[in-house]
Amino acid sequence: GMRELTEHLIGHGYKRFAYITGTNHTPDNAERLRAIRDTLEKHGLNLPKNAIVEGNYLRGSGYRAMLRLLALPERPQAVICGNDQMAVDAILAAQERGLRVAEDIAVTGFDDVPLASYINPPLTTVHQPIYEVGTQAARLTLDVLRTNAEGKKTVPPRVILPTKLIIRRSCGCND
């Protein structure tokens, strides 16, 4: 999902990117960052170290991270956020600094929470099937518990579920 989102932003002509991460100890954060970097590198672009700012997936962290990004000597053109909550915060911070999201700076998220379609401008994001994620996690947990109860140690398989890019106006597209 993050690769597709990054490709979409590159297709808009953006060259200066930033990433507001989730907490650095989560595997999904590391994978999302790697996907962004790999995709940018494929196009001869990079993600400068000072353009990666840690958030924590919670309210307020995207706002603080965006303020740090807006203070950089060369402001990013597109800010990718590790989840929609931080993206909403980033949009608010940019707007409070007088920037027009979509025209002056692109902001995107990840998750496709209901709020994403209601914020102004509506948030471009990656939809992940959260119900299916929960169902798979519960099934795998029960399988591991059952197998371990039988005296066998097991590691659950890695399951990757499909995502879908949801294009809305915050990236510079018209709905």
Side-chain angles (χ1 to χ4, degrees), residues 73-91:
E74 193 168 31
R75 186 182 78 221
Q77 297 170 315
V79 177
I80 300 171
C81 300
N83 76 350
D84 289 348
Q85 178 61 63
M86 293 187 302
V88 168
D89 287 347
I91 287 172

Side-chain angles (χ1 to χ4, degrees), residues 58-77:
L58 302 175
R59 186 161 193 189
S61 69
Y63 184 92
R64 291 184 298 275
M66 181 60 116
L67 292 179
R68 286 182 54 195
L69 292 170
L70 295 176
L72 291 174
E74 193 168 31
R75 186 182 78 221
Q77 297 170 315

Side-chain angles (χ1 to χ4, degrees), residues 78-152:
V79 177
I80 300 171
C81 300
N83 76 350
D84 289 348
Q85 178 61 63
M86 293 187 302
V88 168
D89 287 347
I91 287 172
L92 295 174
Q95 290 172 336
E96 285 182 12
R97 294 298 186 264
L99 295 173
R100 297 168 301 153
V101 174
E103 292 88 356
D104 300 327
I105 190 168
V107 177
T108 65
F110 199 100
D111 288 332
D112 194 28
V113 298
L115 178 61
S117 62
Y118 296 111
I119 184 122
N120 187 21
L123 182 64
T124 294
T125 187
V126 175
H127 175 83
Q128 61 176 335
I130 199 67
Y131 180 81
E132 182 66 19
V133 168
T135 301
Q136 290 284 341
R139 184 184 62 74
L140 292 171
T141 300
L142 291 173
D143 288 348
V144 167
L145 290 172
R146 189 173 16 264
T147 305
N148 288 347
E150 296 169 0
K152 303 173 195 168

Side-chain angles (χ1 to χ4, degrees), residues 27-28 30-32 34 136 139-140 155-161:
D28 59 332
E31 289 181 26
R32 291 174 188 177
R34 184 172 41 255
Q136 290 284 341
R139 184 184 62 74
L140 292 171
V155 176
R158 185 166 188 231
V159 177
I160 299 175
L161 299 173

Side-chain angles (χ1 to χ4, degrees), residues 1-7 10 17-42 45-55 57 69 78-83 86 109-110 158:
M2 203 55 95
R3 289 181 201 285
E4 187 178 5
L5 174 62
T6 305
E7 287 281 356
I10 291 168
F17 287 79
Y19 180 49
I20 298 176
T21 74
T23 53
N24 284 330
H25 66 274
T26 59
D28 59 332
N29 183 64
E31 289 181 26
R32 291 174 188 177
L33 179 56
R34 184 172 41 255
I36 294 166
R37 282 185 164 146
D38 290 350
T39 305
L40 290 173
E41 187 177 293
K42 185 175 96 174
L45 300 170
N46 70 344
L47 186 62
K49 196 171 203 131
N50 67 349
I52 302 169
V53 180
E54 185 178 353
Y57 294 122
L69 292 170
V79 177
I80 300 171
C81 300
N83 76 350
M86 293 187 302
F110 199 100
R158 185 166 188 231

